[in-house]
Amino acid sequence: MAANRPPRLLAIAGHETLGSDHLGDWIGQLHVAGVDALQIRAKLLDDRALESLARSVVGAVAGRLRVLVNGRADIATAVGADGVHLPSHGVRPGAVRRRFPDLLLGLSTHHADDIEEAGAAVDYVTFGPVFDTPSKRAFGDPVGPGALRRAARHGVPILALGGIDAAAVPTVAAAGASGAAAIRALQDKASLVQMGAAAARAWPRPPAKDR
């Protein structure tokens, strides 16, 4: 898989999921469904615990998915992960790109201005919440497909985030999203299969070239 190609489906998970005895089974299900990247989002872990978790995830993935560590390019590099996903108010993407030029680099965004500032430094951004989702209700109303459409005009690959399920995929694809990121919709096996099928229809991959 291309190291810096933007993900089509990005699964986001915390240490509760990633520390489960069923991690290997879940990763296999993600791979079969067409999920191509997994973001480790474990904000409450200290550095050593995060490094240990990230190392175990990279080992469990065994090259089937690309692994990104939330906010920690240093730990991503130390454990052999593929990239880092930066929070919206974290270190500026340009500084991370200069120091870690080979990492897949993503950025959380909530406003079009965030995307314009990131510019060519990032490989993709997540944008949202597009639709209502319980975990984001405390931060205000969802931005909606219209804001996603305006954000997509910046030309940076965008993964729609927030309330994204299989039924929402055609809407966000029509608004200009290059893919989707999700937590809940990629946890349950049935919804995972549906998400994978919807993503394959909305964002078909070009056929591999003969070697």
Side-chain angles (χ1 to χ4, degrees):
M1 61 183 69
N4 289 82
R5 184 184 68 200
R8 179 173 66 183
L9 279 180
L10 171 66
I12 303 171
H15 66 276
E16 300 89 348
T17 299
L18 298 174
S20 166
D21 292 337
H22 303 291
L23 174 62
D25 292 339
W26 182 54
I27 287 173
Q29 293 168 9
L30 293 176
H31 176 63
V32 170
V35 175
D36 48 0
L38 172 60
Q39 177 188 337
I40 301 171
R41 190 171 181 267
K43 296 182 177 181
L44 299 181
L45 297 185
D46 61 33
D47 289 2
R48 183 162 295 184
L50 178 57
E51 179 187 2
S52 177
L53 176 65
R55 194 177 299 278
S56 69
V57 171
V58 169
V61 163
R64 290 175 289 178
L65 312 174
R66 289 173 291 173
V67 177
L68 298 101
V69 180
N70 194 73
R72 296 299 301 267
D74 56 340
I75 290 179
T77 300
V79 304
D82 301 276
V84 60
H85 186 92
L86 301 176
S88 57
H89 298 294
V91 179
R92 293 183 184 276
V96 176
R97 175 62 78 199
R98 287 190 294 273
R99 179 66 180 84
F100 302 94
D102 297 325
L103 288 181
L104 176 66
L105 181 56
L107 174 69
S108 293
T109 64
H110 311 289
H111 307 284
D113 290 347
D114 299 334
I115 301 172
E116 184 174 9
E117 183 180 351
V122 298
D123 296 303
Y124 73 91
V125 300
T126 57
F127 185 80
V130 179
F131 303 111
D132 179 61
T133 183
S135 64
K136 299 297 183 182
R137 286 173 184 163
F139 301 102
D141 295 332
V143 297
L148 175 62
R149 184 175 294 105
R150 292 189 293 275
R153 293 172 185 163
H154 288 280
V156 178
I158 291 182
L159 308 187
L161 174 66
I164 307 299
D165 57 15
V169 165
T171 300
V172 297
S178 303
I183 300 173
R184 290 182 300 156
L186 298 178
Q187 295 284 343
D188 174 75
K189 185 175 181 179
S191 62
L192 170 58
V193 170
Q194 294 170 356
M195 278 286 286
R201 290 191 296 268
W203 303 293
R205 294 290 193 204
K209 295 181 179 179
D210 294 334
R211 293 184 181 275

